[in-house]
Amino acid sequence: MSVGEMLVATVPMARTLNLEFLETTPERAVVRLPDQADYHNHVGGPHAGAMFTLAESASGAIVIAAFGDQLSRAVPLAVTAEIGYKKLAMGVVTATATLGRPVSDVVAELDAGQRPEFPVHISIQREDGAVTGEMTVVWTLRPNA
């Protein structure tokens, strides 16, 4: 089962919004939100909450892809999230997530008994390539007790 399939199966919001996980690697996660009238805002584009969920889901996908081998000893948790809406989003939007720190540095902190934190940067784009939003989610790997 791929990371995207696992997230759709286990995260109800991903299913609710019909998110499509196009790419999930430790280097990059790409997730698409189809154009769905049920999730439009007052101007006919995707609702801000739907775009937040799209971007947060992309960040979660890259975290699982990058740190899935650490799940037996630590649980990934979002610590903070900040989003900026830049341009009007209309139609299909896609979120692309990238890690802000090398995987090896984060794992080294975990190995040292620390609770590492790391940012994931997400860009949300319309089909014409225009960036409609940018988000940063800071994640941690909380060691199991």
Side-chain angles (χ1 to χ4, degrees):
M1 178 180 288
S2 73
V3 170
E5 290 167 336
M6 185 267 300
L7 288 171
V8 169
T10 60
V11 180
M13 280 302 296
R15 279 193 312 278
T16 297
L17 290 177
N18 300 304
L19 297 182
E20 301 166 3
F21 291 81
L22 306 179
E23 180 182 339
T24 52
T25 70
E27 292 77 37
R28 194 169 99 124
V30 181
V31 183
R32 179 171 44 218
L33 174 65
D35 187 21
Q36 302 163 92
D38 285 348
Y39 305 113
H40 282 177
N41 59 20
H42 61 288
V43 293
H47 188 276
M51 290 196 301
F52 183 99
T53 300
L54 167 70
E56 194 278 339
S57 297
S59 79
I62 199 170
V63 168
I64 296 298
F67 301 106
D69 61 342
Q70 304 300 319
L71 297 181
S72 64
R73 65 182 185 141
V75 62
L77 297 169
V79 177
T80 64
E82 184 174 331
I83 191 165
Y85 300 101
K86 307 293 183 186
K87 289 187 177 189
L88 184 62
M90 297 297 281
V92 174
V93 288
T94 302
T96 302
T98 56
L99 282 177
R101 290 184 61 201
V103 171
S104 59
D105 290 357
V106 175
V107 172
E109 286 183 17
L110 191 61
D111 289 343
Q114 299 172 2
R115 182 175 170 166
E117 290 191 0
F118 52 94
V120 176
H121 305 290
I122 309 101
S123 175
I124 305 168
Q125 294 181 296
R126 298 187 304 225
E127 284 188 302
D128 67 4
V131 174
T132 64
E134 293 174 338
M135 183 175 188
T136 299
V137 180
V138 175
W139 286 82
T140 189
L141 294 179
R142 187 191 74 201
N144 295 336

